[in-house]
Amino acid sequence: MGTDTATVDSLRMPTATFEVAPGITAIDTFMGGRDRYTAGYLVAAAEPALIETGPGTSVEPVTRALDDLGVAPDSLAHLVLTHIHLDHAGGVGAIARRFPRATVWVHERGARHLADPTRLVASAERVYGPERMASLFGPVEPVPGDQLRVLGDGQVLSLGDRSLRAIDTPGHASHHLAIVDETTEVVFTGDALGIHVPNLPVLRPATPPPDFDLELAIASIERIRAAAGSTLLFAHFGPISDVDRTCDLAIRRLREWTEAVRGAMRRTTDLDEIVEVLSREAAREVVTGAEAQLDLDRLETLAGIRMNAMGIARYLQKLDADGEPQPS
Ligand SMILES: [Zn+2]
């Protein structure tokens, strides 16, 4: 695949839990019963922190994994979210109840939707339909108000003997944070760089409505590049060690996808036709192989072409409405 490929460290991973950096363990959240879709990460410290909980369907597997890793219900100190999309945070309310001493940290624009997830659930149901929503994400419980705290750009979260730092990284979502472990300089990237799944050397952009913004997304990737030492920890799924090449690839794919939708929108307003164009663009990066179909299903579940097309189209319409200059 030459220079078009991300480094697929995940090919070498066992499932369930695996160490990805000193004191940092990835936990397969088994979202919707599926393996290697969405990862949470336990940061071992005097005050242990879990980065991302996965959705409601992940509460049992994640609780079991924490138990296996020796984290007792009264010892988990922090639950840190990169953003509130349900695949990352749908289970946080239920997990917060099981770990009642844990503080839940989230971007200020996400906090009220964790306290009252009604709108979050309604918008996911519109996108996925109630049936698929239930099977992938499961129930969404509110986070108890006394456990909920806001995390802002540059804020350092002390875990006692190590610390995490938040970086504001909008683009995929307006309320997206990347989290830096200050000891190892690994960065928990959430969805800021897109989706990378096992077995496929593919980095798929994640550009959902209503927030996707190309220029913000690129600036956020540059902030992550500047903060990252040797490793990026993707929520979907696992570590990637080639930081520069991965950041370059993520930016290039975002530009290419946006240009593909822009070109399609010059010819048509029909969403199906725009989706068709973007599907061809996506296919340029996809490889065939024995494991490819399952992994294409992973990509489509996590960042469907249609949802991406809708997000980019909405972004371009907003640019038009704002009267900003368009590159020709
Ligand atoms: Zn997301």
Side-chain angles (χ1 to χ4, degrees), residues 82-88 172-173 175-176 190-192 195 206 208 236 302:
T82 60
H83 63 305
I84 62 169
H85 290 164
L86 293 183
D87 48 338
H88 299 252
H172 169 78
H175 64 277
H176 193 287
D191 287 346
I195 312 292
H236 321 284
L302 292 163

